[in-house]
C-alpha cells in the first residue's frame, strides 16, 4: 500500500498515536510526559509536545514526529511504523486504487480492514444471559447470539487484531468454533499478537 508520511502527519495527531500505543502520559503545561515503555525509563523520560507534533525520549536520546514515536516505542522501521498508524486509524492513501474509484474513500473497504460487524446479533438472547452476561455489556462488547449465518445457534465473541475486527469465535453446545477465515496458524498468531 502506498503510504505518504506527510498525509499521516496531517491526519493523525501525535496524541492520538500515543493513545494508540497505550502510553500513560501526564500533562505538564504544553507537554505530555510519561514513562517510555521501550526504554523502561523513569516516569518522565518520554515527552510529547502536541503543538509541535513531536516527541523526545530522554532515555534513548531520540526524538521526532509521530511516525518516529511509533517506531521507537514498537521498535519498528519508519515504514512499518507508518503502516501501523495508517492501519490503526484506517487511513486511505490519497492516491491509490481506492481514491480513483470515484473518491468514496470511507466506503471502500481496504483489504486489511478485516471484517464487518455482524448486524443481526441478539445481545439480550437467553443464550447470552445463560453465560451471565448482561445485555448492555454484551452489546458494548459486540457479543451476541447469532440466529443465522455460519455461527448460527451460537453466542459469538468478536476477535480483534490491532483494533480491527478479524472475525468471531462462536460458543455453542459443542464448545468453541473458530471462524473459517482464520486458519489454525492465523488464529494462533492472533492470540500471540495480543499477548503483552
Ligand atoms: Zn525511549
Amino acid at each position: 500500500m502506498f503510504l505518504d508520511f506527510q498525509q499521516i502527519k496531517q491526519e493523525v495527531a501525535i496524541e492520538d498515536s500515543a493513545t494508540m500505543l497505550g502510553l500513560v502520559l501526564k500533562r505538564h503545561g504544553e507537554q505530555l510526559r510519561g514513562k517510555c515503555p521501550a526504554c523502561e525509563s523513569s516516569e518522565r523520560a518520554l515527552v510529547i509536545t502536541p503543538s509541535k507534533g513531536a516527541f523526545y525520549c530522554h532515555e534513548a536520546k531520540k526524538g521526532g514526529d509521530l511516525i518516529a514515536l511509533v517506531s521507537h516505542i514498537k521498535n519498528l522501521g519508519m515504514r512499518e511504523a507508518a503502516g501501523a498508524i495508517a492501519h490503526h486509524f484506517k487511513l486511505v492513501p490519497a492516491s491509490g486504487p481506492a481514491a480513483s474509484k470515484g473518491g468514496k474513500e470511507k466506503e471502500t473497504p481496504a483489504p486489511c480492514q478485516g471484517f464487518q460487524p455482524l448486524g443481526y446479533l441478539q445481545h439480550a438472547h437467553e443464550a447470552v444471559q445463560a453465560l451471565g452476561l448482561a445485555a448492555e455489556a454484551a452489546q458494548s462488547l459486540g457479543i451476541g447470539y447469532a440466529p443465522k449465518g455460519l455461527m448460527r445457534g451460537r453466542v459469538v465473541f468478536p476477535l480483534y487484531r490491532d483494533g480491527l475486527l478479524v472475525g468471531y469465535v462462536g460458543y455453542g453446545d459443542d464448545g468453541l468454533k473458530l471462524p473459517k477465515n482464520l486458519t489454525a496458524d492465523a488464529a494462533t498468531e492472533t492470540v500471540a499478537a495480543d499477548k503483552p
Side-chain angles (χ1 to χ4, degrees):
M1 195 206 291
F2 173 75
L3 284 169
D4 184 342
F5 285 16
Q6 210 55 45
Q7 185 197 351
I8 289 172
K9 283 191 246 180
Q10 278 170 10
E11 294 193 20
V12 181
I14 195 163
E15 306 99 288
D16 293 334
S17 73
T19 307
M20 160 192 161
L21 292 165
L23 298 177
V24 180
L25 301 167
K26 281 188 185 164
R27 184 168 283 281
H28 292 264
E30 286 259 286
Q31 297 179 324
L32 304 168
R33 293 187 196 170
K35 203 169 176 168
C36 174
C39 303
E40 299 193 353
S41 66
S42 67
E43 292 299 323
R44 293 157 55 107
L46 189 68
V47 179
I48 290 177
T49 312
S51 60
K52 293 181 183 165
F55 90 100
Y56 191 79
C57 174
H58 286 280
E59 190 73 24
K61 311 229 180 303
K62 275 188 194 168
D65 58 24
L66 78 166
I67 299 169
L69 173 65
V70 173
S71 160
H72 178 56
I73 304 295
K74 303 259 262 185
N75 195 22
L76 297 170
M78 290 292 276
R79 188 148 282 278
E80 287 171 286
I85 297 168
H87 192 73
H88 183 87
F89 293 99
K90 300 185 169 68
L91 300 185
V92 177
S95 58
S100 62
K101 277 187 198 167
K104 284 189 177 177
E105 296 181 13
K106 279 186 178 167
E107 288 166 34
T108 311
C112 65
Q113 295 209 349
F115 230 69
Q116 286 298 312
L118 299 177
Y120 52 73
L121 296 180
Q122 298 172 0
H123 307 293
H125 192 276
E126 58 183 17
V128 177
Q129 287 175 3
L131 297 173
L133 210 53
E136 272 184 19
Q139 184 162 16
S140 68
L141 292 166
I143 297 168
Y145 176 81
K148 59 179 182 177
L150 283 173
M151 293 292 181
R152 186 175 58 240
R154 295 165 192 274
V155 178
V156 300
F157 298 79
L159 289 173
Y160 289 92
R161 177 158 51 207
D162 295 335
L164 287 177
L165 182 63
V166 293
Y168 285 89
V169 167
Y171 177 75
D173 293 337
D174 54 348
L176 285 178
K177 184 182 178 186
L178 286 169
K180 267 193 176 175
N181 63 324
L182 296 181
T183 63
D185 286 343
T188 312
E189 194 190 312
T190 304
V191 173
D194 285 344
K195 283 190 179 165

